Amino acid sequence: MNVYDSERMAEALGSEGYIETTKPDDADMILLNTCHIREKAAEKVYSELGRLKSFKASNPDLKIGVAGCVAQAEGAEIMRRQPAVDLVVGPQSYHRLPDMEAKTRKGKKVLDTEFPEEDKFEKLKSRPKGRRAPAAFLTVQEGCDKFCAFCVVPYTRGAEVSRPVQRIIDEARDLVERGVREITLLGQNVNAYHGTGSDGSDYTLAKLIWDLDKVDGLERIRFTTSHPNDMTDELIEAHGSCSKLMPYLHLPVQSGSDKILKRMNRSHTSDSYLKLIERIRRARPDILMSGDFIVGFPEETEEDFQATLDLIEEVNYGYAYSFKYSPRPGTPAAERQQVEIAQANDRLQRLQSLVTHQQKEIQESMVGSTVKVLFEKPGRELGQMMGKSEYLHAVHVADAQIAVGEIAEVKIVEARTNSLAGVFV
Ligand code: 5AD
Ligand code: SF4
């Protein structure tokens, strides 16, 4: 979502005449888009700001801004800790960037971390019309009402809000006109999407996917991130019957221990999660599952951790993202008795070696099979092209006479560390 938000922010400033640069010493404005989910990400903002402020010495007109969830959570504290910061903008107010930028040019420091009434997406509607890379993100839902005991999202992103269907369809059509073939629908709780159709009817994510299925030129649909409790029958069914919906599902479970799940306020059990995956695989047998895991959550014992490893064994993940529990200010679990760091480190390492092994086995099992690849860019070697399979595996083809944005059948001949190599069928 931060990638998507960064694009929109660059576009908002684009209307003020800004163009993007990759060189900080070229920049008139450096805007850090930040993440508050774990302490490490949040602290990195300050070390990065310390490094970036030196560019002000050679360019006194340079403005430095902080956007995103660290801005939302820490607000004015950021300017206090790093006085070189001119602008702080929360994720719900970035459509106000042009006005804020103008104020910084008058030498003012500006801060906006409100949750305004107006729709920021509507305010940012006039996107530039240039060609786009073939795979794009599209935010359909923001915020979360679930309040998992470890998570800052309900506080930084606020309550669940779904965008109206027609605006999503219009944005998708616009993306397709500009060369996009694959859209990943985004939301912190995307499968809880509950938008309104142009006739006033209630929409679910499944219904929205079926409308997007009818958009000519759009070839692939994905969505992330989902909560197990919002995987409805019709959404599972769509995985079986909507050919544009890709066989890949990110479905975080966090832990395999029911005791820990309860303390996390997850409102599902490991068994209900496993049963759900069984139903999803019945609808779409080749679906590749990915998940998120937290180790070292308060009161996690070796036995609880073992239950997580057992669950991972049972599910067999194509990808998994695992994190050491990070106490976040204002969340209920931060107040509890913490697991020793050495123990959490050890568990993280054990969990990661299990999922790395699973990932590798799944990648190796792809050798000999034929996948459809959407080509996204030239590879590192001359003549090589790189794209993604239905299962989101990176696939390289050597001497590929194929344009970016095309989809072709590729036979996998080799599994490398982070990608697959193939030849055209
Ligand atoms: N500590 C560690 N990991 C966290 N996540 C969310 N909050 C925390 C935290 N306080 C992880 C969860 C979530 C992913 C986006 O980040 O696994 O699914
Ligand atoms: Fe955070 Fe996801 Fe739980 Fe919402 S459902 S509180 S975003 S982990």
Side-chain angles (χ1 to χ4, degrees):
M1 189 168 279
N2 269 8
V3 172
Y4 178 84
D5 286 350
S6 297
E7 280 172 10
R8 304 308 292 264
M9 284 190 263
E11 285 166 8
L13 288 172
S15 62
E16 302 305 296
Y18 279 87
I19 54 165
E20 283 181 71
T21 174
T22 53
K23 300 191 204 86
D25 52 0
D26 244 11
D28 298 308
M29 157 88 70
I30 297 175
L31 200 51
L32 285 186
N33 196 12
T34 61
C35 177
H36 201 247
I37 199 96
R38 286 170 292 274
E39 191 181 3
K40 207 166 152 193
E43 280 306 311
K44 215 164 138 187
V45 174
Y46 290 101
S47 54
E48 196 62 14
L49 287 172
R51 193 178 70 83
L52 292 172
K53 79 168 187 218
S54 61
F55 290 100
K56 280 196 162 180
S58 51
N59 178 7
D61 290 334
L62 172 66
K63 303 295 176 199
I64 296 179
V66 177
C69 290
V70 174
Q72 188 64 39
E74 299 189 7
E77 171 70 7
I78 297 175
M79 287 166 170
R80 200 190 57 74
R81 265 181 81 175
Q82 181 45 268
V85 172
D86 303 285
L87 179 160
V88 170
V89 60
Q92 303 310 330
S93 332
Y94 59 67
H95 55 293
R96 293 176 174 169
L97 265 173
D99 286 346
M100 297 177 76
E101 187 273 343
K103 284 187 186 138
T104 66
R105 292 289 150 210
K106 291 189 186 128
K108 288 191 189 136
K109 292 207 176 229
V110 281
L111 177 138
D112 191 339
T113 53
E114 277 178 50
F115 285 81
E117 280 297 312
E118 72 262 19
D119 180 346
K120 71 177 171 208
F121 297 109
E122 275 303 281
K123 297 274 169 193
L124 292 172
K125 215 165 160 186
S126 56
R127 303 181 77 152
K129 293 292 168 209
R131 290 293 285 179
R132 297 269 321 220
F137 292 123
L138 200 175
T139 293
V140 303
Q141 180 278 337
E142 282 187 296
C144 181
D145 299 339
K146 297 264 185 319
F147 290 91
C148 298
F150 50 82
C151 187
V152 286
V153 168
Y155 312 96
T156 52
R157 290 272 174 171
E160 270 179 29
V161 179
S162 296
R163 292 178 69 193
V165 174
Q166 197 53 49
R167 297 202 183 137
I168 296 167
I169 302 290
D170 290 347
E171 194 171 326
R173 287 218 175 92
D174 176 62
L175 288 170
V176 168
E177 264 170 41
R178 293 161 58 198
V180 169
R181 315 293 300 280
E182 170 179 307
I183 291 180
T184 301
L185 306 174
L186 297 179
Q188 272 88 26
N189 224 316
V190 73
N191 58 344
Y193 176 85
H194 52 270
T196 311
S198 39
D199 58 355
S201 63
D202 287 343
Y203 260 68
T204 56
L205 184 66
K207 226 172 143 196
L208 176 67
I209 287 169
W210 281 113
D211 276 16
L212 286 165
D213 182 66
K214 294 191 204 92
V215 173
D216 280 341
L218 177 63
E219 304 294 342
R220 293 177 158 193
I221 304 166
R222 304 179 188 276
F223 59 89
T224 196
T225 287
S226 298
H227 191 286
N229 289 8
D230 295 312
M231 277 313 290
T232 57
D233 289 345
E234 58 164 355
L235 190 53
I236 295 173
E237 211 266 316
H239 269 291
S241 50
C242 177
S243 59
K244 289 187 184 177
L245 188 57
M246 291 294 103
Y248 179 101
L249 181 63
H250 184 60
L251 198 60
V253 64
Q254 316 296 356
S255 168
S257 152
D258 288 344
K259 177 192 99 186
I260 295 298
L261 286 170
K262 194 157 190 180
R263 287 177 173 45
M264 284 177 165
N265 191 30
R266 286 290 292 184
S267 59
H268 60 77
T269 62
S270 72
D271 192 51
S272 67
Y273 179 81
L274 290 171
K275 288 215 169 82
L276 175 61
I277 291 197
E278 232 177 82
R279 280 164 55 217
I280 296 164
R281 283 191 168 143
R282 227 176 289 141
R284 182 74 206 228
D286 62 336
I287 200 161
L288 197 87
M289 296 301 306
S290 80
D292 288 345
F293 300 91
I294 295 178
V295 301
F297 187 78
E299 298 171 82
E300 183 188 70
T301 62
E302 178 59 29
E303 199 185 345
D304 295 318
F305 175 64
Q306 190 56 50
T308 303
L309 295 182
D310 292 347
L311 179 139
I312 294 172
E313 287 277 7
E314 186 144 351
V315 173
N316 195 23
Y317 288 95
Y319 290 95
Y321 305 87
S322 48
F323 315 99
K324 209 164 33 166
Y325 171 66
S326 167
R328 308 305 292 126
T331 59
E335 310 299 322
R336 301 178 195 161
Q337 177 75 44
Q338 303 297 315
V339 168
E340 249 181 74
I341 289 185
Q343 205 148 46
N345 282 336
D346 173 63
R347 288 177 192 164
L348 186 65
Q349 211 205 334
R350 282 156 64 203
L351 189 152
Q352 286 182 342
S353 75
L354 172 61
V355 296
T356 306
H357 176 75
Q358 287 190 340
Q359 263 165 242
K360 200 165 161 269
E361 277 205 339
I362 290 181
Q363 293 207 12
E364 279 165 3
S365 75
M366 299 303 296
V367 174
S369 66
T370 297
V371 294
K372 277 197 179 133
V373 175
L374 167 59
F375 285 91
E376 292 183 5
K377 57 184 180 193
R380 251 184 245 135
E381 290 157 31
L382 191 68
Q384 190 189 50
M385 289 289 283
M386 182 271 186
K388 297 275 169 62
S389 77
E390 304 90 317
Y391 311 101
L392 218 54
H393 285 131
V395 179
H396 291 104
V397 176
D399 300 321
Q401 304 292 319
I402 195 159
V404 163
E406 282 196 53
I407 296 175
E409 291 204 330
V410 172
K411 187 174 172 187
I412 303 301
V413 293
E414 192 192 336
R416 301 181 183 159
T417 323
N418 287 312
S419 66
L420 303 171
V423 291
F424 289 126
V425 172

